[in-house]
Amino acid sequence: MTNEELNGKLPEQPEPYWRTSVEFPTFPSLQEDIEVDVIVVGAGITGITSAYLLTNEGLKVAMIEADKVLNGTTGHTTAKITAQHDLIYDEFIHNMGRNTARLYYEANMEALEFIEKTVEEKGIDCDFSRVDAYIYSVSDKYANKIQKEADAYARLQINGKLVDDFPFDIDVKNVLVMKDQAQFHVTKYLVRLLEMFKEKGGQVYEDTVAVNIETGEQPVVLTKKENRITAKHVLICTHFPFYEGTGLYSTRMYADRSYALAVKSKKEFPQGIFISADEPTRSLRSIKENGEELVLIVGENHKTGQSEVETMEHYKALEQFGEEVLGLEKITNRWSAQDLVTLDKLPYIGEITSGNPNILIATGFRKWGMSNGTAAALLFRDMVTGKENKFEKLYTPSRFYAHPSLKNFLVQNANVVGQLIKGKLDSPDRKPDELAKGEGAVVTLDGHRKGAYRDDDGKLHIVDTTCTHIGCEVEWNNGDKTWDCPCHGSRFKFTGEVIEGPAEKPLQKYDYTMMDNLTSEDSGY
C-alpha cells in the first residue's frame, strides 16, 4: 500500500496518547517569593519522582514547571521501563570498562524495581506489566552487532540471550532478548505520585519559568516574573538545563527527534516490547485503552531541525510500516518527541559542576527516560540527604572518557558551526503571499530571511528565524507546525513562543541578528 493510499488515516493535529487518556490536575503560577529546602525545576518523571521522594524524607519541597505538568518529554514517551537501551553494552565495555557498563545496567534495573514496588505498595492503577524486551536486526551488519551485544550480556551477567523465534512477519537476521523488563501508563503513574506529593505538603506551580540562578550557600532561582525561590538545593530536571553554570552543556549534547503513532491494529499484538537495531528505528509496544488494545509505533529519528525530508513524511513512513507488519484499522494519535544525547551516551546526573553540591542536574537520557529519570531521582534523594550512592560516579557530569567524548565533542560542535553557517547563507525562494492556509515555510521578506505561517483563518504569522539562544537559523517543521533549531534543539510555536529550550525568549518579529544575542534584552543567551 502506498503513502497516497494510506493518506487520510493520520490525525490532522499531533497529540500524545499519554496526554489524552488521563485527567490532569492544574496548579497556579508562582506569584510571590518563597523559601524551601529543595526547589525542583521541571515536572516530568525526574522532577515529580524527586519531589515525591524528598517529601518522604521530611523536606519542604516546591516544584515549578514552565508549562503544564507532564507536558514535556515525559508526556511524549513510549513508557517502556527497560535497561535494554538499543545496542549499548558492548560499546560501554569498550569505551568505559566492564564495571561501568554493569553499573549502568544495575542503575536502570533498580529504577524499574522501584517503580514496580511503588505501584504495588501504593496500589497505583497504571497498567504496569513485566514483559521481555527484544532488539532485532534486518541486516547482516546489525546482526553482527547484536551478536557482540549478546556477548556483552554474557560478560555482564545480564539476563538475556539470542533467540530464534520472532513474532512478527519481518525477515530478521538476529534477535536478542532481555528478560523481565516492563511497561506502564506513565501519566497515570506520575499523576498519583503528584497527588501523594501534594498530600505531604508539597507545592506545585505551573506556568512558572525559571530563567537563572544566583549561586551561593543558599542558591536562589529567579523566575521570568521576577519571583525569587531560595532553597538549600536546586534540582534541574528540565530536559535541557535552563541554567548551565560553567558546565557548557550546550557543547556537550545534541537534540534528537523521533515520531510516534498510536494505532488499532488488525493483527493481535504479542507479549513484549520491541525495537530494531537498524536505522531507521522501529519500536513497538502495546497499551490498553478501555479494554481495547492499541499499539505504539515509534521511530524515524533525526537531529532536531535537520530532517532531510518534510517531517510529515516520517509519520507516513511509520504508517506504512504499521500497515505492512500489523495491518491498521485506525490511527488514534500521532506525536513527536525529542531527547538529548551526551558525548558518551551516559546521562549527566549530579553536581552541575564539580564542587557545587547545591545545584544538581539530570539530562541527556537518550530517549530512555523512564528508567534513567527514575534512577536520577533516586540518586538526587541520596545526594540531598547525604547518603552514599554507588551510581554517583557513574553519572557525574564532570566525568570525561577520552574515547568517545573528545571525538564526539569535535564532531557535534563542528555540526553546530556548519548549521550556523548554512542558515546564514540560506536565501529562500518562497514569498509569504505564496503560502496556502495551514502552510508554513522559510521565506524572503524585504531581503531578509523570515519564517511565515498562514493559519486556517488565513492570517499570516511572520517571525524572524534567528534562534534566540546563540543565533542559528530555525527551520520549519510541517508535521508539528513548529520552528526547530538545528544547533541545540530549541523549538518554537508558529507564533514564536518557546516550546523547548535552551532558548528562553521567543522568536522576534523584527529583524534579529546573531549579534542581538549578545546585546538585546530579547535574547535568552
Side-chain angles (χ1 to χ4, degrees):
M1 189 175 288
T2 66
N3 281 343
E4 288 74 15
E5 291 172 312
L6 287 167
N7 191 28
K9 283 187 179 180
L10 285 169
E12 184 176 344
Q13 299 296 331
E15 186 67 36
Y17 167 79
W18 312 112
R19 293 287 306 173
T20 59
S21 55
V22 172
E23 185 174 338
F24 290 88
T26 59
F27 303 96
S29 61
L30 183 64
Q31 302 293 335
E32 61 184 359
D33 297 349
I34 61 173
E35 184 169 352
V36 292
D37 294 321
V38 182
I39 178 65
V40 178
V41 186
I45 190 167
T46 307
I48 292 173
T49 308
S50 297
Y52 165 76
L53 288 169
L54 289 168
T55 53
N56 287 345
E57 296 290 330
L59 298 176
K60 184 179 181 181
V61 182
M63 179 165 56
I64 62 174
E65 167 57 47
D67 187 27
K68 304 297 181 186
V69 297
L70 296 169
N71 197 35
T73 304
T74 297
H76 293 70
T77 181
T78 59
K80 297 177 178 179
I81 318 168
T82 178
Q84 188 188 68
H85 298 170
D86 303 318
L87 298 176
I88 198 67
Y89 291 102
D90 178 63
E91 182 176 338
F92 279 178
I93 288 172
H94 281 87
N95 291 340
M96 306 167 200
R98 178 179 173 181
N99 289 342
T100 297
R102 174 67 194 185
L103 277 174
Y104 184 75
Y105 171 73
E106 290 178 6
N108 284 277
M109 288 304 296
E110 286 190 16
L112 187 161
E113 288 156 8
F114 168 82
I115 293 172
E116 182 176 41
K117 182 179 178 181
T118 303
V119 168
E120 291 176 352
E121 290 185 350
K122 303 302 179 182
I124 302 175
D125 180 13
C126 62
D127 306 321
F128 179 95
S129 63
R130 285 277 193 165
V131 291
D132 293 340
Y134 298 83
I135 185 164
Y136 68 92
S137 66
V138 295
S139 68
D140 291 334
K141 173 184 176 181
Y142 279 92
N144 292 332
K145 290 186 176 184
I146 284 180
Q147 177 63 60
K148 291 180 180 178
E149 190 76 351
D151 295 341
Y153 279 23
R155 291 185 64 189
L156 299 174
Q157 296 182 307
I158 291 174
N159 184 11
K161 61 180 181 179
L162 295 174
V163 294
D164 295 324
D165 295 333
F166 194 64
F168 297 104
D169 188 18
I170 299 174
D171 184 16
V172 296
K173 303 292 186 180
N174 215 346
V175 182
L176 177 63
V177 64
M178 184 180 287
K179 306 293 287 184
D180 294 326
Q181 304 303 291
Q183 60 185 7
F184 69 158
H185 192 302
V186 61
T187 48
K188 286 182 181 179
Y189 168 75
L190 289 172
V191 164
R192 183 64 190 121
L193 257 58
L194 196 55
E195 290 170 350
M196 291 188 287
F197 168 63
K198 285 286 292 178
E199 289 164 3
K200 291 233 175 181
Q203 306 170 51
V204 184
Y205 301 98
E206 294 181 319
D207 302 308
T208 302
V209 181
V211 295
N212 205 354
I213 297 178
E214 290 181 359
T215 58
E217 187 175 338
Q218 284 273 89
V220 179
V221 173
L222 308 178
T223 74
K224 190 174 182 180
K225 294 180 180 178
E226 300 184 347
N227 292 121
R228 299 169 62 84
I229 307 169
T230 305
K232 296 173 185 175
H233 293 274
V234 178
L235 308 188
I236 301 175
C237 311
T238 54
H239 187 230
F240 198 101
F242 77 93
Y243 172 82
E244 298 184 57
T246 57
L248 298 174
Y249 289 93
S250 294
T251 68
R252 298 165 60 195
M253 297 187 292
Y254 70 87
D256 199 70
R257 289 199 72 71
S258 57
Y259 299 81
L261 303 178
V263 308
K264 172 65 177 172
S265 65
K266 295 176 182 177
K267 297 179 182 178
E268 185 176 353
F269 193 84
Q271 281 287 315
I273 53 180
F274 306 86
I275 192 168
S276 67
D278 306 81
E279 297 289 345
T281 303
R282 296 290 182 261
S283 170
L284 295 163
R285 65 153 289 188
S286 63
I287 50 179
K288 297 292 185 183
E289 172 66 15
N290 298 322
E292 181 180 61
E293 185 175 71
L294 298 177
V295 178
L296 297 190
I297 307 173
V298 183
E300 291 289 302
N301 57 297
H302 62 82
K303 285 186 177 181
T304 300
Q306 298 186 38
S307 176
E308 295 180 357
V309 298
E310 288 195 346
T311 48
M312 277 303 296
E313 295 303 313
H314 296 297
Y315 290 110
K316 292 176 182 177
L318 293 179
E319 183 180 24
Q320 182 78 41
F321 173 80
E323 184 66 41
E324 293 171 355
V325 175
L326 300 168
L328 302 185
E329 285 188 12
K330 63 179 178 180
I331 302 174
T332 63
N333 299 77
R334 70 170 176 91
W335 69 95
S336 63
Q338 73 181 40
D339 207 354
L340 298 163
V341 182
T342 68
L343 295 175
D344 57 15
K345 298 184 181 179
L346 273 171
Y348 297 136
I349 306 169
E351 296 179 1
I352 189 165
T353 50
S354 183
N356 199 343
N358 295 334
I359 304 175
L360 307 180
I361 192 169
T363 188
F365 296 157
R366 203 172 58 89
K367 302 178 185 176
W368 299 104
M370 298 299 96
S371 57
N372 274 316
T374 302
L378 293 168
L379 177 54
F380 282 168
R381 177 195 59 190
D382 291 347
M383 294 182 75
V384 168
T385 57
K387 299 174 185 174
E388 287 190 9
N389 186 301
K390 67 179 181 179
F391 304 120
E392 184 173 343
K393 185 178 179 182
L394 168 74
Y395 284 123
T396 179
S398 62
R399 69 180 183 270
F400 184 79
Y401 296 99
H403 179 74
S405 295
L406 182 59
K407 174 187 173 183
N408 288 340
F409 178 86
L410 297 172
V411 169
Q412 297 308 331
N413 286 282
N415 178 265
V416 169
V417 172
Q419 292 297 324
L420 179 64
I421 295 171
K422 177 184 174 183
K424 299 306 176 188
L425 297 178
D426 185 31
S427 181
D429 296 328
R430 302 200 67 182
K431 303 293 189 290
D433 57 9
E434 299 173 6
L435 300 180
K437 290 181 180 180
E439 186 180 12
V442 176
V443 299
T444 297
L445 180 64
D446 298 329
H448 296 282
R449 189 185 197 271
K450 297 290 182 182
Y453 174 74
R454 193 179 299 279
D455 66 25
D456 293 338
D457 295 325
K459 182 180 179 181
L460 193 63
H461 302 266
I462 303 288
V463 296
D464 194 279
T465 57
T466 303
C467 179
T468 54
H469 179 223
I470 66 165
C472 295
E473 299 297 318
V474 298
E475 300 292 343
W476 177 244
N477 174 342
N478 74 323
D480 300 327
K481 294 182 169 59
T482 60
W483 296 105
D484 298 355
C485 180
C487 289
H488 298 108
S490 295
R491 300 180 64 238
F492 306 83
K493 297 179 181 178
F494 63 77
T495 49
E497 291 90 348
V498 176
I499 299 172
E500 295 190 61
E504 295 173 0
K505 298 294 182 70
L507 296 175
Q508 299 305 301
K509 310 297 183 182
Y510 59 86
D511 293 335
Y512 191 79
T513 67
M514 185 176 173
M515 287 303 297
D516 288 324
N517 284 283
L518 303 177
T519 60
S520 171
E521 292 184 357
D522 292 325
S523 172
Y525 187 53

